[in-house]
Amino acid sequence: MSLFKARDWWSATLGEGEEFDQGCLCVGDVDNSGTGHDKVVVGSYMGMLRIFSPHASKTIEGGQADAQLLEVQLQNAIIQVELGKFVSCSELLHLAVLHPRKLSVYSVSGTAGNVEHGDQYQLKLVYEHNLQRTACNMTYGTFGGVTGHHSLCIQSMDGMLMFFEQDSYSFGRFLPGFLLPGPLTYNPRTDSFLTVSSARELESYKYETLAVATEAESRQDPNLPLKTGGKRLTPDWVFVLGEQALDLCVPSFSHASSHIFILGERNIYCLRDNGQIHFMKKLEFNPSCFLPYASVTDGTTNLLLGNHTNMLLVYQDVTLKWASQLSFIPVAVRVANFLDVKGVVVSLSSDGQLLCSYMGTDPSFFSTPKVDAREADYEQVEAEMKKLQKFIREATRTQDILPKTDSEDDLCITTTVSSSMDNPSQALIHDINGLPVPSVTVQVKVKASSVVKSSKLSIGVQPPLAVTQEQFVLEAMGVGSSKVVVFSAFLNGHYPPADLTGDITVSYSSPTELNPKGVPKVLQSRFNLPPSLVCVACPPPKATKFKITVDTNQPPVDLSSIFREFSAKSEDKDGNSLAFQLLSGAKVTVLASKTSQRYRIQSDSFEDMWLVVKELVHRFDQHFSKLGIKDFKKSFSGPLPLEEYFLSVDKHFQLRVSAQKYQDLLSERAVQFRAIQRRLLTRFKDKTPAPLQNLDTLMDATYSQVMALAEAAEENRALLEEAFVRLRSATHLLVLLLSLWQGLTPDQTSILEATLLPLLQDTPQLGWEESCDAAVSHLLRTCLSQNPKDQATSLAQTGGSVLGLPSDTARLKKHITLLCERIGKGGRLTLASEANVQVPAQVQNLAVPGGVEPIAELAGDGEEIEVPQEATKFIKKKQPSKKTKKEKEKKEVSKEPSEASVKEEEPIKETKKEKKESSKEKKESKKESTKEPKEEAKKESKKESSSSKEKKESSKEKKEKEKEKEGKEAGDKKVSRRSSVKVKEKKKEPEAAEG
């Protein structure tokens, strides 16, 4: 027996195949016995009305038969049942039953029996109302402050509130802005009605406002003038929930309580009568029903809350006080007082399980017998403890939180790519630029080592590659059986792909003893397509634009032995050069040096070199591994082709901007087109014909514009897809060159690739530029930041601005250039560096959302980096020596005061310099204005050299001051004066050069 399981006091199963919902249960003294004991009234969607008087019984069947007072089959489905004073000139309780098209009020009376079989109960119809509209739910109360009897309000499915006062119909009102009906309840303290609209807002309507509003004979357009007298219906107050409400309740068990409770899909709200929120509780589960009831503590309210995990929870305001387990999901819950016990929880499930339960446990009268005190045998206890610890160690060594998978998979995938091209080709495009498009056959064999059901095989390749069939449905496979799938891959576009790999995914179900249908599993495999699928051998071109040189530590290799499939068609028989003609791209030439150990790859297209460079490096590794050479190394001496890479970035960005412009223009023309359609429709509906005033001509022109814009947007989308594939190729090539340049490990290369290629495809909501910028900025602030304070402060930052399309690519280019510089200076790419950084005390206080401003991107020495134009083109490999590293460590102490003074005085000097040069600039001609970028680059380089000299001198001065034991403030002033004098001198030099 569990302490947290609901204790069954009485239960019953209602019918077979019947359905119940939230309003099908009510509790009260329906037969007006006067004893104060409640009865349970249950109505079903099948029209069955039952009344129970539960009491404790030894047998369930006998208890249910004795407790059932009445069972009546009504003609229509029962939507809701309520108890109240619904008959005029009578203080007795009557039963109101709501049907889809009828409201019936019954009286339940009992006649004392003459034998021991019990009393006889009868259901008598007092009055009924036939409804003109389909009902959804109802509520009752003392509308208008009338005491002594209750009125009824029914909400229809189309948003009409129908008011009934006993056996007469009062009036009806349509709710404004209605779409779908929501829960409805009445607040007697404010004489208002509460409902939740389709806009997910809680609305309150005064009864007085409803009574004087426009009569709802038929739904009217809110934009049209009122046809009859009265005011337009508006809510008294509105509260935005942001989610759909499941139920509303206004408890009236205390005169002091003035709260409204709303049960949402994920939250519980408690509002005051004026619409102000009192408290709100976020739920970690999906609720099904709730019921507020009186609390022992003043000022608080208890809540019974049922959820979809068969739990019944007790909350005191927002605090969870108790939880009990049920055997079903409750859809309605009530609290009742019966003959034997008070405060019984009555719950009902959707399939008719009615349960009366209480919480806690039954009292236990068992008392443990006294045990004679014995001395513990410590040797035996220690031996038992060692034995248990051994079991624990073995269990933790062999088990995990999740059960480990078997060493052998249920399926084994074997992929075989044909060494020769298909004849005839299966490609959809027969030729590109006069070259035939080949296709290659791929055979996939799936072998099962256990029983497998519902297996499906999917093939995915990188665009613009395509396959003849992407999905295959495999039949059920037994142990040892196998299936073979054959398909062809080919090029299906006018641009080369970024990758020649393909993915095979097999989804299947593996049946077990506990789950005969099978446990869903997924198995993946990868295959590589040959480069001859996208390129052919050709004669080498004479001149090219882009060149890349790869160095090795082994003698040069005969290229014809590396690329055997292309050597037969190559014109160079010495094996020193080999040219590739991409079917939908440029020519790529590979040259091997006869004297040195270098290889040059050159082409007219920067992106098209990627596939050839990747294949060359891969085949080099395979060739030297077969020869048994383990110390084979390959490197790239630079410079990095960042300028060429940024051309691909700019082209992709411009196409994204064009796509956004096309989208905006399309939306504008579509709005214009709909407006013209509305005006034409109004003219055609008018009884008196009127001239069209060239609206038809305007409509035709707008239609032509919409179609032209749509075609242009579609063409731009195709170009954007091609540009993104080319950008991926260029990014892969840049990552490969960076890894060869700095000798990055595979883990570091994967981190760099994930940073520069965060997306596999562009989406309208998120593009490559903003995603890459965010990832690169994160690396610059964490593992590539040489200032430990930046790393620690980055841990305190939570959240950030929403990623969106940037205005330009200048910031992204600057960050990528800075990333390459820091990697070139020896920066380590690792994801574990954040965990090793100690967070300072002053930063820990800032670790709150929005408490830290974005960190300025600083170089390792603390200065703000200004990247010159020449540095964006090429970044040469410069490794710091041991001496310079030691000197930098010594200089770091003296850098901060000198840099601060220089930065404070530089703006003043620059303003004076600008005033002097303003007169000169007016006299200069337009031809000389083209020389300004070069002169500015020279100035910046001289400024950097002067700043480096100032740092050396400032460090020497600080050493002398430490020896003389002077104060820190005086030292700072002297350093700032000398550094400012140096800045003046170095700034005069470029002026003299210009003069």
Side-chain angles (χ1 to χ4, degrees):
M1 178 179 65
S2 173
L3 181 68
F4 297 101
K5 184 177 180 182
R7 301 291 299 150
D8 296 353
W9 182 72
W10 179 86
S11 63
T13 302
L14 310 181
E16 294 182 1
E18 298 187 40
E19 294 183 10
F20 302 85
D21 205 352
Q22 184 179 339
C24 296
L25 175 67
C26 72
V27 171
D29 190 12
V30 65
D31 60 343
N32 301 286
S33 61
T35 59
H37 302 148
D38 295 332
K39 281 78 177 177
V40 180
V41 181
V42 183
S44 72
Y45 283 167
M46 304 305 169
M48 191 67 72
L49 182 66
R50 300 179 178 88
I51 301 177
F52 296 93
S53 178
H55 56 271
S57 178
K58 295 182 180 180
T59 61
I60 298 178
E61 295 180 357
Q64 178 177 350
D66 295 341
Q68 185 166 349
L69 305 181
L70 186 65
E71 183 176 15
V72 178
Q73 174 66 53
L74 302 180
Q75 294 180 357
N76 302 313
I78 298 175
I79 299 176
Q80 191 173 347
V81 289
E82 295 290 350
L83 282 175
K85 301 176 181 179
F86 302 129
V87 178
S88 58
C89 303
S90 176
E91 293 292 329
L92 300 179
L93 294 177
H94 289 75
L95 179 64
V97 180
L98 180 64
H99 302 287
R101 286 281 184 168
K102 184 187 296 185
L103 172 65
S104 304
V105 176
Y106 298 94
S107 65
V108 180
S109 58
T111 304
N114 297 324
V115 293
E116 62 182 4
H117 295 300
D119 302 337
Q120 181 181 2
Y121 288 84
Q122 294 180 351
L123 186 70
K124 183 180 179 181
L125 178 64
V126 180
Y127 62 87
E128 65 180 12
H129 294 285
N130 291 320
L131 306 178
Q132 300 298 323
R133 302 177 183 274
T134 303
C136 177
N137 51 23
M138 69 175 176
T139 185
Y140 70 95
T142 55
F143 304 163
V146 178
T147 58
H149 65 271
H150 293 152
S151 301
L152 288 165
C153 174
I154 300 175
Q155 181 181 207
S156 66
M157 295 295 289
D158 57 352
M160 181 179 181
L161 297 182
M162 297 171 283
F163 294 87
F164 297 91
E165 189 172 355
Q166 285 82 45
D167 53 353
S168 62
Y169 171 75
S170 298
F171 58 89
R173 299 290 183 266
F174 273 111
L175 294 176
F178 181 86
L179 182 61
L180 292 173
L184 177 69
T185 189
Y186 173 72
N187 188 356
R189 294 184 295 270
T190 58
D191 192 25
S192 59
F193 293 86
L194 302 169
T195 186
V196 178
S197 66
S198 298
R200 298 181 176 181
E201 296 175 346
L202 179 66
E203 299 176 348
S204 175
Y205 296 92
K206 291 275 190 181
Y207 179 75
E208 181 181 358
T209 305
L210 291 167
V212 300
T214 306
E215 180 68 26
E217 296 178 357
S218 61
R219 180 178 293 276
Q220 298 179 6
D221 189 351
N223 298 325
L224 298 178
L226 300 178
K227 296 181 179 179
T228 59
K231 298 180 180 180
R232 179 173 284 117
L233 182 59
T234 56
D236 184 33
W237 53 263
V238 175
F239 179 79
V240 179
L241 296 177
E243 59 178 331
Q244 188 57 42
L246 302 180
D247 198 4
L248 294 176
C249 188
V250 180
S252 58
F253 40 78
S254 174
H255 296 288
S257 65
S258 59
H259 294 152
I260 303 165
F261 291 88
I262 306 101
L263 177 63
E265 295 175 336
R266 283 291 183 183
N267 301 279
I268 292 180
Y269 303 88
C270 179
L271 307 182
R272 295 184 176 90
D273 287 340
N274 57 1
Q276 296 179 355
I277 189 166
H278 180 55
F279 66 80
M280 169 184 168
K281 172 68 176 177
K282 182 175 177 60
L283 305 176
E284 301 296 333
F285 47 80
N286 294 325
S288 59
C289 61
F290 85 133
L291 176 71
Y293 68 97
S295 175
V296 179
T297 307
D298 293 337
T300 62
T301 305
N302 284 3
L303 286 170
L304 276 176
L305 184 62
N307 62 16
H308 285 271
T309 58
N310 302 352
M311 295 293 293
L312 189 63
L313 309 175
V314 180
Y315 283 90
Q316 187 173 16
D317 286 348
V318 296
T319 306
L320 180 63
K321 292 296 184 180
W322 197 262
S324 60
Q325 184 75 36
L326 297 176
S327 59
F328 53 82
I329 300 174
V331 296
V333 61
R334 301 289 185 269
V335 176
N337 299 324
F338 297 120
L339 178 63
D340 301 325
V341 63
K342 295 183 178 181
V344 176
V345 179
V346 183
S347 51
L348 176 67
S349 72
S350 60
D351 56 354
Q353 299 183 48
L354 183 63
L355 175 65
C356 297
S357 59
Y358 57 91
M359 301 181 189
T361 59
D362 293 330
S364 176
F365 300 101
F366 174 76
S367 59
T368 57
K370 295 182 179 181
V371 180
D372 297 336
R374 293 180 298 175
E375 294 183 1
D377 188 355
Y378 293 102
E379 294 181 356
Q380 183 180 358
V381 171
E382 187 176 0
E384 185 179 359
M385 183 178 178
K386 290 182 178 179
K387 184 178 179 181
L388 293 176
Q389 287 179 347
K390 182 180 178 181
F391 289 155
I392 292 173
R393 283 195 299 270
E394 291 179 355
T396 54
R397 188 182 300 114
T398 58
Q399 294 182 0
D400 202 347
I401 298 175
L402 295 174
K404 294 186 177 180
T405 58
D406 299 334
S407 57
E408 296 183 359
D409 294 328
D410 298 328
L411 292 177
C412 178
I413 300 177
T414 305
T415 307
T416 305
V417 181
S418 177
S419 58
S420 60
M421 298 293 108
D422 297 340
N423 189 14
S425 175
Q426 302 293 325
L428 300 178
I429 303 176
H430 297 292
D431 62 279
I432 298 177
N433 299 328
L435 296 175
V437 179
S439 65
V440 65
T441 301
V442 182
Q443 180 179 344
V444 182
K445 183 178 180 182
V446 182
K447 186 176 181 180
S449 58
S450 62
V451 179
V452 171
K453 295 181 178 180
S454 304
S455 54
K456 296 180 181 179
L457 187 143
S458 302
I459 296 105
V461 290
Q462 301 294 332
L465 295 176
V467 293
T468 52
Q469 187 173 350
E470 294 182 349
Q471 292 186 348
F472 298 89
V473 178
L474 308 179
E475 298 178 357
M477 302 170 63
V479 179
S481 61
S482 61
K483 300 287 183 181
V484 178
V485 170
V486 179
F487 61 91
S488 295
F490 52 87
L491 185 66
N492 194 30
H494 293 274
Y495 54 95
D499 202 350
L500 288 176
T501 59
D503 296 319
I504 298 175
T505 305
V506 180
S507 60
Y508 60 95
S509 299
S510 179
T512 59
E513 295 181 359
L514 300 178
N515 191 356
K517 293 184 179 179
V519 178
K521 294 182 180 181
V522 175
L523 187 63
Q524 291 183 335
S525 179
R526 178 163 290 187
F527 62 93
N528 294 317
L529 296 172
S532 57
L533 189 66
V534 294
C535 61
V536 295
C538 68
K542 296 181 179 180
T544 55
K545 293 183 181 179
F546 308 105
K547 299 177 182 179
I548 293 174
T549 304
V550 178
D551 299 335
T552 61
N553 61 346
Q554 297 295 329
V557 183
D558 186 4
L559 294 178
S560 60
S561 63
I562 299 293
F563 296 93
R564 294 186 182 277
E565 64 270 29
F566 297 100
S567 60
K569 299 180 181 180
S570 176
E571 296 181 357
D572 186 11
K573 303 301 179 183
D574 298 335
N576 296 327
S577 66
L578 190 63
F580 303 91
Q581 171 66 59
L582 296 177
L583 296 179
S584 54
K587 293 182 180 181
V588 182
T589 308
V590 180
L591 300 175
S593 176
K594 297 180 180 180
T595 58
S596 61
Q597 302 166 354
R598 293 185 175 181
Y599 301 88
R600 174 173 290 179
I601 302 94
Q602 55 190 16
S603 175
D604 289 335
S605 175
F606 177 71
E607 303 91 350
D608 293 347
M609 289 191 292
W610 154 242
L611 291 177
V612 178
V613 175
K614 176 188 176 185
E615 193 68 23
L616 180 67
V617 172
H618 176 65
R619 297 201 180 192
F620 275 166
D621 293 336
Q622 287 183 341
H623 175 73
F624 288 108
S625 62
K626 289 180 181 178
L627 297 178
I629 300 174
K630 298 182 179 179
D631 59 344
F632 170 69
K633 293 182 180 179
K634 48 193 180 297
S635 62
F636 173 71
S637 58
L640 286 177
L642 286 181
E643 190 67 26
E644 292 82 357
Y645 175 67
F646 289 155
L647 291 177
S648 300
V649 174
D650 289 335
K651 183 177 181 182
H652 176 262
F653 177 75
Q654 291 300 329
L655 288 172
R656 286 192 63 197
V657 173
S658 300
Q660 185 64 37
K661 291 180 179 178
Y662 282 131
Q663 185 69 25
D664 296 340
L665 288 173
L666 266 176
S667 61
E668 291 178 3
R669 294 297 180 271
V671 171
Q672 177 180 334
F673 188 72
R674 288 192 294 269
I676 297 171
Q677 281 182 325
R678 283 195 297 268
R679 292 199 176 187
L680 277 175
L681 187 62
T682 305
R683 295 289 178 89
F684 290 147
K685 283 186 175 181
D686 196 357
K687 295 181 180 179
T688 59
L692 296 180
Q693 296 179 352
N694 297 325
L695 283 177
D696 52 347
T697 307
L698 184 60
M699 183 176 179
D700 292 339
T702 306
Y703 176 77
S704 301
Q705 292 178 2
V706 169
M707 295 305 296
L709 284 173
E711 292 175 357
E714 186 67 21
E715 183 179 356
N716 187 83
R717 184 191 61 81
L719 294 175
L720 182 60
E721 291 179 357
E722 178 182 350
F724 184 71
V725 173
R726 292 187 178 275
L727 178 61
R728 284 186 60 196
S729 300
T731 307
H732 280 303
L733 182 57
L734 181 65
V735 171
L736 178 61
L737 295 180
L738 273 171
S739 62
L740 295 178
W741 182 39
Q742 291 297 316
L744 301 180
T745 63
D747 293 339
Q748 292 174 340
T749 306
S750 62
I751 293 174
L752 185 61
E753 189 170 353
T755 303
L756 296 178
L757 276 177
L759 298 176
L760 291 179
Q761 61 180 2
D762 272 329
T763 59
Q765 294 79 20
L766 186 64
W768 177 84
E769 283 80 7
E770 53 268 29
S771 304
C772 182
D773 191 17
V776 173
S777 301
H778 176 73
L779 284 186
L780 293 177
R781 291 194 181 104
T782 53
C783 62
L784 291 181
S785 174
Q786 297 179 7
N787 189 357
K789 290 184 179 180
D790 292 348
Q791 299 185 31
T793 312
S794 66
L795 300 178
Q797 287 184 339
T798 57
S801 58
V802 179
L803 297 181
L805 181 65
S807 58
D808 54 22
T809 57
R811 174 184 172 90
L812 175 62
K813 293 178 184 178
K814 181 179 178 181
H815 285 177
I816 294 177
T817 307
L818 193 59
L819 172 74
C820 298
E821 278 192 351
R822 293 192 181 177
I823 293 176
K825 291 180 180 179
R828 293 176 61 246
L829 288 171
T830 174
L831 298 179
S833 61
E834 299 176 0
N836 299 327
V837 176
Q838 295 182 358
V839 182
Q842 64 270 22
V843 179
Q844 292 178 358
N845 300 330
L846 299 176
V848 293
V852 179
E853 296 180 356
I855 303 170
E857 297 164 1
L858 302 177
D861 54 2
E863 290 186 9
E864 187 172 358
I865 292 293
E866 293 182 2
V867 183
Q869 294 180 357
E870 296 178 359
T872 59
K873 295 182 179 179
F874 307 111
I875 299 175
K876 297 185 178 180
K877 180 178 181 182
K878 294 180 181 181
Q879 294 291 348
S881 62
K882 296 182 179 179
K883 293 181 180 180
T884 56
K885 288 183 178 179
K886 292 181 180 179
E887 289 177 1
K888 285 184 179 180
E889 292 175 358
K890 293 179 181 178
K891 291 176 187 175
E892 284 177 357
V893 184
S894 61
K895 284 175 186 173
E896 297 178 357
S898 64
E899 290 165 6
S901 62
V902 170
K903 288 182 179 179
E904 291 173 359
E905 293 184 9
E906 274 182 357
I908 301 173
K909 301 301 178 183
E910 288 177 358
T911 54
K912 294 180 179 179
K913 179 182 174 183
E914 290 173 358
K915 290 179 180 179
K916 291 179 181 179
E917 293 180 352
S918 60
S919 61
K920 295 181 180 180
E921 291 176 355
K922 293 179 180 178
K923 299 178 181 179
E924 290 179 349
S925 62
K926 295 182 180 179
K927 296 181 180 179
E928 294 177 351
S929 62
T930 58
K931 300 180 181 179
E932 288 179 3
K934 297 182 180 179
E935 294 176 357
E936 290 176 0
K938 293 180 181 178
K939 292 177 185 179
E940 290 176 355
S941 62
K942 290 180 180 180
K943 286 180 185 178
E944 290 178 355
S945 62
S946 64
S947 62
S948 62
K949 292 179 181 179
E950 291 162 12
K951 292 174 189 173
K952 294 180 180 178
E953 292 178 4
S954 62
S955 62
K956 293 179 181 178
E957 290 169 4
K958 188 149 190 179
K959 290 181 181 177
E960 294 175 0
K961 291 167 191 172
E962 289 177 354
K963 292 179 182 179
E964 296 172 0
K965 297 183 179 179
E966 291 182 0
K968 293 183 179 179
E969 297 178 358
D972 292 342
K973 292 179 181 178
K974 291 180 180 179
V975 172
S976 63
R977 287 174 185 172
R978 291 200 175 189
S979 60
S980 62
V981 171
K982 296 293 180 182
V983 170
K984 291 179 182 178
E985 294 176 359
K986 298 301 177 182
K987 285 184 178 178
K988 289 179 181 177
E989 291 179 5
E991 293 177 6
E994 291 174 1

